[in-house]
Amino acid sequence: MSALYTYFKALIHPGQAVLLFALRTIAAGLLTLYLAFIFDLEQPKWSIMAVVIVSQPLAGMALARSFGQVIGTTVGAAVAVLIMAIFPQAPLPFITTLALWLALCTAGGTLLRYTSSQAFVLSGYTAVVVALLAIPDQEGTFLLAVTRVTETLLAVACVCVVSLLTARPEAVAKGYFAKIDQVIKLTASHAAEVLRTEESEADFQRRQMQLLGEISALEGLRRHLYFDAPRLRSADNLVLLLGNQLMLLTSRLTALRHQRELLIERWEGDLPLEVQQLRAEELALLEQLAQQGRALSGADRQRFVTLQQQFEALAYKAEQQTENMSATLRSLAWALRWEQARLLQQLEQILELSDAIQEGRPASCLYRGQSSPLHLDFTLASMNAIRAFTALLVSGLIWIETAWDGARGGMILVGILCSLMATFPRPLMAAQSYARGLGLALLVSAFYQFMLVPAISDFELLALLLAPLLYAIAVGISSPATAGIGMGLGLSSFLMLGPQNTGTGQNTAIQWFEFAGAYVSAAMLALIVYALIFPFRPALRIRRLYGEAREQVYQLSKMPATDEQQFAFESRMTDRLTSMLGLLPAANDRAMQRLYEISLACVALGVAMHQLRQQAQNNALLTDAFGQRLASALRKTGRLVAGRDDVQLAALLATLHQLGDELDELHAASHEHLWSVFRMRVALLIVVSFLERHGDYLQPQGLEGEPQLAH
């Protein structure tokens, strides 16, 4: 009921952005309906329903979604014509084939994102709509398909025209850079607390989760930025790289905190005075960044480079054995100083990237990759496909057995619920939200059907009466929390009203009652399918994503050691971690949060292993035997992380420690061209630290009894 309360509250106090979107939706909807009457389209309701589906609060996203609508509707209509031609008098094969097509499109809509997802979803339920509506007149299937595509094109054209006339690309870009500034400030504050290492583990995790939530929200803005800010479209890869850098930075901070804890446990007495002074300057700079964000002056930004060089000098001092400490402590001190230098370098790069994006110029820092690969969840796609197939097949069997014509109309709603709602993170919750919208639609459409519409004699009065309904629909779909209610209200209302091109005609009262019963039954069937077939269990899904994250590390270890592969790994891991982060509140379990933390640490682990392989290639300071042993150890590490049972943790750690000792000896024996060896030592320490911290959770027996197919 909280969603309904939020919806009604938004109706009364919509806010400026929602009000502007509502006005744009009203204009596009009424223009579409008016032109549908002018062009003498038989069923104008499908045009205005397309407006409801396409409309988005941001104009650019509406344009992108319109493109997917056209492609999906065209392909779906063609498939409906083909299925009807093959099975004109065979209802069971007809329904089965239609259900298979809906399942395929639902899987594609789940697997892909953005415009591609929209095209798959529309292709699925457009085929259902056209094929089922053509049953009374099978010879007119092709004409019906052409009409359906024409209605969609009309709606898309109207939405695009209104969106282009009212687009505000600079407002979207401004919101994006404001969010970047907020994330950078929070990151600086978090980094300062990590360097102090005074807060408890619980406080650290709370701050870490808050930062990751903000980075996840920033990724949502990035998706809009590409479509809504054309000036920044060419910088889309830099925008993606910025998000990856922020996510990787959180993993670096986790490793840095762990290294500081290890050093504090072993260090006796006070830190050297120069180290204390340098840490004080670093903390002061981070606190200044936490206050000023991107407004930090150029002179202050130069301090990042200066401090980075000073930390590198301290790391080199530790390596030269000028300080009295054990070999292990020297390695930890060197790694910690080196990591702090990399932290400062990464913060400076993040500031540089944000400036380059805003100014539309190339970034001077490292730039990797041309594409933006995402995590493809084949398991979830398969489950949604099975649910869509089952729901449409069951509703089709009910129609065949009962010969109730209303069941045929209900199948259309089943197609919408089991394809469109499946693309939401929690389909059952989205379907429940749609059902609430359907309940409102029953009341609203009854009021229109029996009280208002019979008194309408011209389009002007019809437009005046439909404007409040379109406003209520727009307010609902303007927010993710109430999008299902808005969709349910909009699509169901126009399905039951059914404005026709006979003056200002509409469905009859008998048709209204028949459709109402059919749509309520269809909504109940869809809810039952979502509740019983692969019910939502966030803990199982987190475990599955956790396993996939570990497997991703192993797959990276078998790929060529190139920057492009590392960029792809970071992108997929970031996308997967975003999905896991959205599931944590529903799971509400400390064990699930621990799995998320390990998955997050896998990002740093994968990058460290990748850098080890990169630095070992053609390295003149390393012997062939050492290179082979290192490659074997990294392969075993990947297999252990992926849960293979042929690797012993203790033996692997002993091998990694031995390799680290040999690198330490190499440092002492030579003082030239050691840069790559330094980086290898740090990366090796990160790998060892990960295994020592999370090794118990990586053992295969920890996953016994888990289902192979988990939601």
Side-chain angles (χ1 to χ4, degrees):
M1 297 302 293
S2 60
L4 282 175
Y5 174 77
T6 303
Y7 173 64
F8 288 125
K9 185 178 179 180
L11 281 176
I12 300 173
H13 302 289
Q16 182 180 0
V18 175
L19 185 59
L20 290 175
F21 168 60
L23 292 176
R24 192 168 73 234
T25 304
I26 292 171
L30 295 182
L31 177 61
T32 300
L33 190 61
Y34 176 74
L35 293 178
F37 285 151
I38 293 295
F39 296 150
D40 199 27
L41 296 181
E42 183 178 353
Q43 293 288 343
K45 67 180 180 181
W46 295 110
S47 292
I48 198 167
M49 286 170 61
V51 171
V52 174
I53 294 173
V54 170
S55 294
Q56 290 288 295
L58 294 175
M61 285 300 293
L63 296 177
R65 196 160 184 167
S66 298
F67 178 76
Q69 178 95 8
V70 172
I71 298 297
T73 302
T74 303
V75 173
V79 169
V81 173
L82 181 63
I83 293 176
M84 182 60 76
I86 297 175
F87 305 109
Q89 300 297 329
L92 187 58
F94 169 79
I95 294 299
T96 303
T97 307
L98 200 59
L100 286 172
W101 175 254
L102 181 67
L104 175 65
C105 292
T106 302
T110 304
L111 198 63
L112 302 179
R113 313 289 172 84
Y114 319 132
T115 303
S116 301
S117 174
Q118 179 72 6
F120 267 97
V121 169
L122 266 295
S123 180
Y125 73 71
T126 296
V128 173
V129 170
V130 173
L132 293 176
L133 291 180
I135 288 176
D137 183 17
Q138 298 179 7
E139 294 182 358
T141 304
F142 179 76
L143 181 60
L144 178 62
V146 172
T147 302
R148 182 73 183 91
V149 173
T150 304
E151 292 163 348
T152 298
L153 291 175
L154 176 62
V156 165
C158 293
V159 170
C160 288
V161 168
V162 173
S163 297
L164 288 172
L165 293 176
T166 59
R168 298 186 301 155
E170 292 305 321
V172 177
K174 183 179 179 181
Y176 172 76
F177 290 114
K179 176 61 73 173
I180 287 181
D181 192 55
Q182 179 183 352
V183 171
I184 288 176
K185 290 178 179 179
L186 185 59
T187 301
S189 176
H190 185 46
E193 292 299 329
V194 168
L195 293 178
R196 292 189 182 97
T197 323
E198 297 173 352
E199 62 182 356
S200 65
E201 181 69 20
D203 290 337
F204 168 77
Q205 293 297 340
R206 178 189 57 78
R207 192 186 297 272
Q208 183 91 330
M209 296 296 292
Q210 180 186 2
L211 177 59
L212 289 169
E214 294 296 332
I215 294 174
S216 177
L218 185 65
E219 170 64 14
L221 280 178
R222 182 191 73 81
R223 300 172 184 178
H224 298 316
L225 187 70
Y226 181 82
F227 299 104
D228 283 271
R231 181 175 63 84
L232 302 176
R233 188 170 300 163
S234 60
D236 187 58
N237 279 324
L238 286 181
V239 175
L240 179 67
L241 180 58
L242 175 61
N244 285 7
Q245 288 285 348
L246 287 167
M247 184 64 76
L248 187 59
L249 182 60
T250 62
S251 186
R252 182 184 294 278
L253 289 174
T254 302
L256 189 60
R257 175 183 168 86
H258 182 51
Q259 289 174 2
R260 280 195 54 80
E261 290 174 340
L262 292 175
L263 185 67
I264 291 172
E265 290 174 0
R266 292 167 173 79
W267 192 275
E268 296 180 0
D270 296 330
L271 293 173
L273 184 59
E274 57 182 339
V275 175
Q276 295 183 35
Q277 292 175 345
L278 198 55
R279 287 190 65 243
E281 293 180 21
E282 182 183 22
L283 288 172
L285 180 58
L286 289 175
E287 289 173 355
Q288 187 176 358
L289 179 61
Q291 293 176 357
Q292 299 181 14
R294 296 181 65 241
L296 195 69
S297 65
D300 289 327
R301 292 189 183 192
Q302 186 61 33
R303 292 169 57 196
F304 280 105
V305 179
T306 303
L307 288 173
Q308 173 194 334
Q309 294 172 348
Q310 291 175 326
F311 271 111
E312 289 173 352
L314 281 178
Y316 184 75
K317 183 178 179 180
E319 187 59 40
Q320 297 306 306
Q321 304 182 15
T322 58
E323 297 173 297
N324 185 21
M325 60 180 75
S326 65
T328 302
L329 194 57
R330 179 177 293 108
S331 298
L332 282 171
W334 188 92
L336 183 58
R337 295 168 186 179
W338 182 262
E339 279 297 303
Q340 286 184 258
R342 302 285 69 77
L343 170 65
L344 293 167
Q345 181 185 32
Q346 196 166 4
L347 285 171
E348 194 274 332
Q349 286 184 351
I350 288 172
L351 289 170
E352 161 68 11
L353 275 172
S354 65
D355 290 344
I357 294 169
Q358 187 169 27
E359 297 168 9
R361 59 175 173 81
S364 60
C365 59
L366 180 64
Y367 175 73
R368 295 170 293 169
Q370 294 289 327
S371 60
S372 53
L374 296 173
H375 163 59
L376 301 180
D377 198 336
F378 288 96
T379 303
L380 184 60
S382 301
M383 292 190 293
N384 283 335
I386 292 173
R387 287 190 290 214
F389 174 81
T390 303
L392 192 63
L393 183 62
V394 169
S395 60
L397 293 176
I398 293 174
W399 169 62
I400 293 173
E401 291 298 322
T402 63
W404 176 34
D405 194 55
R408 184 166 57 93
M411 290 175 65
I412 295 176
L413 185 59
V414 168
I416 294 175
L417 285 173
C418 291
S419 57
L420 184 61
M421 297 298 122
T423 60
F424 284 72
R426 297 180 62 175
L428 177 58
M429 183 177 292
Q432 290 172 335
S433 185
Y434 187 99
R436 297 186 186 99
L438 173 61
L440 294 177
L442 292 174
L443 300 176
V444 171
S445 62
F447 179 69
Y448 272 81
Q449 178 79 30
F450 302 113
M451 300 291 292
L452 300 180
V453 175
I456 297 175
S457 59
D458 52 43
F459 178 79
E460 289 76 7
L461 184 56
L462 177 63
L464 183 63
L465 293 177
L466 288 180
L469 176 58
L470 288 170
Y471 166 78
I473 294 169
V475 170
I477 61 180
S478 65
S479 170
T482 58
I485 295 177
M487 282 287 182
L489 175 61
L491 299 182
S492 302
S493 294
F494 287 110
L495 278 172
M496 287 188 285
L497 284 175
Q500 301 171 4
N501 201 9
T502 54
T504 53
Q506 72 285 332
N507 290 336
T508 64
I510 294 178
Q511 287 176 317
W512 185 92
F513 281 106
E514 185 173 26
F515 288 150
Y519 296 152
V520 170
S521 301
M524 292 298 297
L525 175 61
L527 290 173
I528 291 172
V529 168
Y530 278 125
L532 297 182
I533 301 180
F534 307 118
F536 178 69
R537 294 190 176 96
L540 294 183
R541 191 188 294 189
I542 290 174
R543 288 185 180 276
R544 177 171 58 81
L545 293 174
Y546 161 71
E548 292 175 0
R550 293 170 54 183
E551 184 67 27
Q552 190 78 45
V553 174
Y554 178 47
Q555 294 302 320
L556 178 66
S557 68
K558 299 190 293 184
M559 297 291 181
T562 62
D563 287 338
E564 289 75 16
Q565 292 295 337
Q566 182 176 330
F567 182 82
F569 169 77
E570 292 171 3
S571 298
R572 293 192 179 97
M573 289 294 288
T574 299
D575 193 45
R576 186 182 290 108
L577 287 168
T578 300
S579 300
M580 295 178 71
L581 186 62
L583 294 168
L584 285 178
N588 193 25
D589 186 354
R590 180 66 185 93
M592 296 302 103
Q593 185 173 336
R594 179 62 191 272
L595 296 185
Y596 177 81
E597 294 165 7
I598 298 176
S599 301
L600 179 61
C602 282
V603 180
L605 173 68
V607 171
M609 293 173 60
H610 197 74
Q611 290 179 350
L612 274 169
R613 295 169 59 222
Q614 279 185 315
Q615 297 303 320
Q617 290 177 342
N618 303 320
N619 195 320
L621 297 175
L622 303 179
T623 64
D624 291 339
F626 181 90
Q628 292 174 1
R629 289 165 54 212
L630 177 62
S632 175
L634 291 178
R635 282 195 299 270
K636 290 180 179 179
T637 300
R639 293 184 63 82
L640 176 66
V641 171
R644 305 300 192 269
D645 56 3
D646 58 346
V647 181
Q648 297 297 321
L649 177 61
L652 178 59
L653 282 173
T655 301
L656 293 173
H657 280 298
Q658 184 179 0
L659 290 171
D661 293 340
E662 293 182 23
L663 285 175
D664 288 338
E665 294 174 1
L666 183 60
H667 295 171
S670 175
H671 299 288
E672 296 181 358
H673 310 295
L674 285 178
W675 184 263
S676 61
V677 181
F678 292 167
R679 296 189 64 183
M680 291 179 64
R681 188 67 180 104
V682 174
L684 196 59
L685 281 171
I686 292 175
V687 173
V688 172
S689 174
F690 176 90
L691 294 178
E692 290 178 341
R693 188 179 182 90
H694 305 297
D696 293 340
Y697 284 81
L698 304 177
Q699 302 302 312
Q701 61 267 22
L703 297 177
E704 287 183 358
E706 290 188 2
Q708 292 295 316
L709 192 62
H711 195 295

